[in-house]
Amino acid sequence: MRIFDPFSHFLVGLSQTFCGFNMAKCNPWMMRRLCMIMRQNFAKSCEEKLNDQINLELKACHQYLAMAYHFDRADVSSPGIHGFFLQASVEEREHAEKIMKYMNKRGGTIILSAVPEPVPQFEDAMSALKQALQMEMDVNQHLLDVHALAGKENDPNLCDFIEANFLQEQVDGQKVLADFIRQLERAQNEVGDYLFDKYMISGSMHGNGQQAKKH
């Protein structure tokens, strides 16, 4: 004689609901809600601002890549500046990926937008460095805005994430670019440009001394 077990009956019904035919009919919004039950104290405004930051980092990544390969052209031939901007492109992509991993940890939704076409050519190293500095300042300002919003939304975890991973690195990178611009101003002739490029071979935006390998 088979004894009715109400708990087993409940488990069977539950598995049929979530693993069988009924799963396909579930509301997608409900499915996402089930997947993101660990989301806590993560405001929608912070989620949207982080998505903006991801796309800003990817925009910088593409612009640095365009800069790098402009200076790799045969009629430009500046391997030091090429390597410097190539490494900067890698770092910006890593920043975007770091934020995306954080977004998943907080239960957010990553939304990648179209990346604007980067500036393809530059008159000289000075114009490229000045654009890079302005781009870094724009990225840093947006990070400060994210941090301010996190404080307003009482999200100490997001504040800590921004402080620990980005703020000081951005300040250091801006100082490196400002120094390079001033040094290049002092050597503003063709021989000076050549010597500066040799100096840049050992340069790095964030002080790791390791440039991206040219493929």
Side-chain angles (χ1 to χ4, degrees), residues 63 67 70-71 81 85 119 121-135 177 181 184-185 188 193 196:
Q63 184 57 70
M67 288 175 170
H70 166 78
F71 288 100
I81 300 176
F85 284 138
V119 178
Q121 297 181 3
F122 298 87
E123 182 180 353
D124 50 26
M126 179 67 79
S127 62
L129 286 169
K130 285 183 176 180
Q131 178 164 334
L133 178 57
Q134 183 58 56
M135 189 162 55
L177 286 168
I181 290 169
L184 189 53
E185 284 175 344
Q188 201 65 350
D193 285 354
F196 179 75

Side-chain angles (χ1 to χ4, degrees), residues 24-36:
K25 293 185 176 180
C26 276
N27 187 314
W29 181 85
M30 279 298 297
M31 291 301 301
R32 168 148 186 84
R33 187 168 178 82
L34 289 170
C35 291
M36 297 302 168

Side-chain angles (χ1 to χ4, degrees), residues 17 39 87 94-95 97 101 123 125 128 141 149 162 171 179 183 190 194 201 205:
T17 299
R39 180 168 178 150
Q87 178 62 33
E94 289 174 348
H95 290 171
E97 291 174 350
K101 288 179 180 178
E123 182 180 353
Q141 182 58 56
L149 178 61
I162 296 297
V171 171
D179 286 348
Q183 289 158 10
E190 288 191 7
Y194 173 78
I201 288 176
M205 181 85 75

Side-chain angles (χ1 to χ4, degrees), residues 52 168 200:
D52 291 342
Q168 188 58 50
M200 289 265 307

